[in-house]
Amino acid sequence: MRDPTHPADRPAQLDRPARPDGNAQPDRLALPKAELHVHIEGTLEADMVFRLGARNGVRLPFAGVEDLRARYSFSNLGSFLDLYYSCMAVLRTEDDFFDLADAYLARASKDGVRHAEIFFDPQAHTSRSVPLEAVVNGLTSAVSAARSRYGMSAGLIACFLRDQGPDAAMDTLDQLLHHRDAIIGVGLDSAEVGYPPALFADVFSRARAQGLHCVAHAGEEGPPSYVWEALDVLRVERIDHGVRSLEDRNLVARLADEQVPLTVCPLSNVRLKVVERIEEHPVAAMLEAGLAVTVNSDDPAYFGGYLDDNFAALAQGVGLDSYALRTLARNSLQASFLDDATRKTHLDHLDASED
Ligand code: HPA
Ligand code: ZN
């Protein structure tokens, strides 16, 4: 029975969110694929910031939607994180987290995303006295509803804020383990430089002992040594970003040998000045080096596009051909934490799909 008061039974939000720049959409590629690096809080569109702000009586330090969008201009990761954390003030209730995730899942399904592994930042909410239950229950309801609403699956990965240190991360893991079945893994995000992965050795070892998948942001702004540490100390299964690995030949050889997936986010890299222009993005060199590259949107509300916008930017800006785009889609399914039978079904659909 449908219960209209339950968030999962409310009508789906199928309308495409307005793009910040108001430009026409690039061609849709919509290859069947997985998205493995998207922060749900980074899908909070400006219009939703104001809608939820009004719903929750949260006063915002922006004059309006256009004023907020005008601030989507960043000099580095830190300047982005300031705005990212400040917009989250509007996320207060289970319904807010449901609506946020539901809007992302609706949007992602239009880009051919058949499976998403979604990051969230528990500490960014518990530090504002939002109960972890509200966060987890809202996100979990949206993920469960996505199968019937959008024909896709999703899993949740809880990220520790590295700039809050290892003790806070361990406390957060304690709380998360009360919701063990709601998450598929743990990750590490927020300000990178100055917070090497090895600080979090004990937290990751405990998470792994609980059967949780382990991933970490490394080599976005931080040096290649952080990628080595994430592999050797945290024993992660994927590296998030990892673009700075190219500065270390031995690291490239290791990543290629072991086929460690890298969840690369091209539009994010341009907006956060990790690379100067999309034309200079090293994704082609990474593929050439035999790395298991995947393409992802990171924080699409802030960085000018969702998953297919990233694919389109690589096609147009870097000149990737349809073979390379298919390789990226294939890699995303290979690198996901799906079970082998489901992965094979998606790969078969990809192989049968047309450009
Ligand atoms: N890097 C680190 N932390 C983040 C990011 C990112 O790109 N997006 C949201 N949190
Ligand atoms: Zn990220």
Side-chain angles (χ1 to χ4, degrees), residues 76-78 81 161-165 188-200 217-227 229 241 244 247 272-274:
N76 54 24
L77 174 59
L81 290 172
L161 301 185
R162 62 207 308 156
D163 45 342
Q164 302 297 309
L188 190 62
D189 67 1
S190 200
E192 185 181 2
V193 174
Y195 304 97
L199 291 173
F200 300 88
H217 283 54
E220 180 186 19
E221 283 191 347
S225 64
Y226 285 20
V227 179
E229 272 184 28
H241 291 296
R244 286 198 60 196
E247 295 167 27
L272 300 188
K273 310 260 192 290
V274 171

Side-chain angles (χ1 to χ4, degrees), residues 37 39 217 241 298:
H37 184 160
H39 301 260
H217 283 54
H241 291 296
D298 207 6

Side-chain angles (χ1 to χ4, degrees), residues 37-39 119 189 217 220 240-241 263 265 268 298-299 303:
H37 184 160
V38 58
H39 301 260
F119 295 141
D189 67 1
H217 283 54
E220 180 186 19
D240 296 313
H241 291 296
T263 63
C265 307
S268 163
D298 207 6
D299 300 285
F303 298 153

Side-chain angles (χ1 to χ4, degrees), residues 319-334:
L320 292 194
D321 60 14
S322 69
Y323 178 81
L325 299 177
R326 281 182 173 275
T327 301
L328 293 168
R330 170 166 280 276
N331 288 351
S332 72
L333 294 164
Q334 297 281 19

Side-chain angles (χ1 to χ4, degrees), residues 243 246 264 266 278 280-289 293-295 314 318 320 328:
V243 284
L246 288 178
V264 173
I278 192 70
E280 284 158 30
H281 197 281
V283 65
M286 297 174 91
L287 285 168
E288 196 67 27
V293 182
T294 69
V295 166
L314 293 180
V318 180
L320 292 194
L328 293 168

